[in-house]
Amino acid sequence: MKRQAYQPILITDARRSQDDQLNSRQKRYVLMMGVRVACLVAGAILVGVKAPLLWLWLPLCALGMVLIPWLAVLLANDRPPKEEHRLAARFQRRGRDETPPMALPAEERARKVIDAEP
């Protein structure tokens, strides 16, 4: 029976746990819904006391009550982007030089060949 090779996970490469991600998204959602409730209460108070510039404050409160839930749902369902492999940059193709080697003078061609070697 073969034993599988033990491959430790480096702490620096580890992603946040699913529970931690879910908790942070829930906190953000509750905070945004709290701001929505504050917009609703502020709008009701402004209408009740007939505040000056009501024509300005009431649409701002209404805009907050409409846009914040939409943004809260989008952000609550958003997950962090997937991380690329840490060695992916080493395996990407390098861009080619536009100048063909035979178009260069002999000295530059030799220098280019020497620079290209690892």
Side-chain angles (χ1 to χ4, degrees), residues 13-14 19 22-23 26 47 51 53 74 82 93 96 101 112:
D13 290 342
D19 291 335
L22 180 63
N23 283 337
Q26 286 174 341
V47 168
L53 298 175
L74 285 178
K82 291 187 177 183
R93 290 185 164 206
R96 291 186 169 224
K112 187 175 179 180

Side-chain angles (χ1 to χ4, degrees), residues 45-70:
I45 291 172
L46 289 172
V47 168
V49 297
K50 295 185 176 148
L53 298 175
L54 187 61
W55 59 271
L56 175 67
W57 296 114
L58 205 53
L60 287 176
C61 289
L63 190 65
M65 288 185 295
V66 171
L67 287 181
I68 289 177
W70 176 69

